[in-house]
Amino acid sequence: MTGGERREQLIGVGRSLFASKGVEGTTVEEIAAAAGVSKPVVYEHFGGKEGLYAVVVDREIAALLGAITRALSGRGSPRTLLERATIALLDYIEFSTEGFRILVRDSPVAQTTGTFASLISDIARQVEHLLVDAFAARGYAPERSGMYAQMLVGMVAMTGQWWLDTREPAKEEVAAHLVNLAWNGLTGLEPEPRLSSRARPGPPVGPAL
């Protein structure tokens, strides 16, 4: 292998081990053994398991944030964009399960782009821009849009963590009910919510490994 190929191999091996055992439960010895290399090779490329972990987390955060950003950057009503963003998160969980498990694990290891909580805040700031216009159109105080964005994104993220293990009901049904609650509130729930035909932004894109 070239140096670049070896690095990518170690990232893939580390990703799987961190997802199944966590960073604290994973050793450099296990990473090296799974990759078929000696421990010094891991240190040479990443300086240790913490460096490898940081690279894995950076990639996963970029992949998830990129998917949400694309979902929110297209045309459509605020409700349609909310549907797309919800589906984008559930797509990521479905197709990048290992990555999502890594992101939601609690870990004391410093990460170069922050934690899952900071990622949620980044997404909420994007949602806030949508809510400002929606609030203004309805006569609501626009300065409250940031708080409501945190509520919306937090609700979707927590539901995503729950769905990570249950996988029931189907992804589209979970998304429809999430948007139903977020958009209509408890007093205005639709009995049989459905996603709009414009909800899906396109095929999911996972992290480059």
Side-chain angles (χ1 to χ4, degrees), residues 161-172:
Q161 291 187 52
W162 163 78
W163 190 73
L164 173 66
D165 293 315
T166 63
R167 298 302 173 99
E168 292 183 358
K171 174 176 57 182
E172 286 75 13

Side-chain angles (χ1 to χ4, degrees), residues 20-192:
S20 62
K21 306 182 69 173
V23 65
E24 293 299 327
T26 301
T27 66
V28 173
E29 288 85 356
E30 289 174 314
I31 296 170
V37 300
S38 62
K39 287 171 54 179
V41 174
V42 179
Y43 287 108
E44 176 185 352
H45 283 277
F46 302 100
K49 71 172 182 179
E50 289 80 9
L52 174 56
Y53 180 76
V55 171
V56 170
V57 169
D58 283 354
R59 288 192 176 195
E60 297 303 328
I61 286 179
L64 178 52
L65 186 58
I68 299 295
T69 300
R70 287 190 295 274
L72 293 174
S73 62
R75 292 185 177 182
S77 67
R79 175 166 180 160
T80 297
L81 295 178
L82 177 60
E83 290 177 345
R84 290 176 181 170
T86 302
I87 282 290
L89 174 63
L90 296 178
D91 275 344
Y92 175 80
I93 294 172
E94 180 177 12
F95 296 104
S96 298
T97 300
E98 287 185 340
F100 191 72
R101 288 191 187 281
I102 292 169
L103 290 182
V104 299
R105 283 183 182 274
D106 290 329
S107 171
V109 177
Q111 300 168 14
T112 59
T113 56
T115 63
F116 185 64
S118 67
L119 171 65
I120 294 304
S121 293
D122 288 342
I123 296 171
R125 280 191 287 272
Q126 297 186 50
V127 173
E128 181 179 354
H129 294 302
L130 300 177
L131 294 184
V132 167
D133 293 338
F135 275 32
R138 291 164 175 79
Y140 301 151
E143 63 267 20
R144 299 297 186 195
S145 59
M147 178 176 67
Y148 277 87
Q150 292 285 344
M151 294 175 183
L152 283 172
V153 175
M155 180 177 69
V156 174
M158 290 300 295
T159 304
Q161 291 187 52
W162 163 78
W163 190 73
L164 173 66
D165 293 315
T166 63
R167 298 302 173 99
E168 292 183 358
K171 174 176 57 182
E172 286 75 13
E173 185 176 352
V174 172
H177 283 278
L178 264 171
V179 175
N180 188 24
L181 176 58
W183 195 256
N184 298 309
L186 288 173
T187 59
L189 288 179
E190 301 166 358
E192 296 293 337

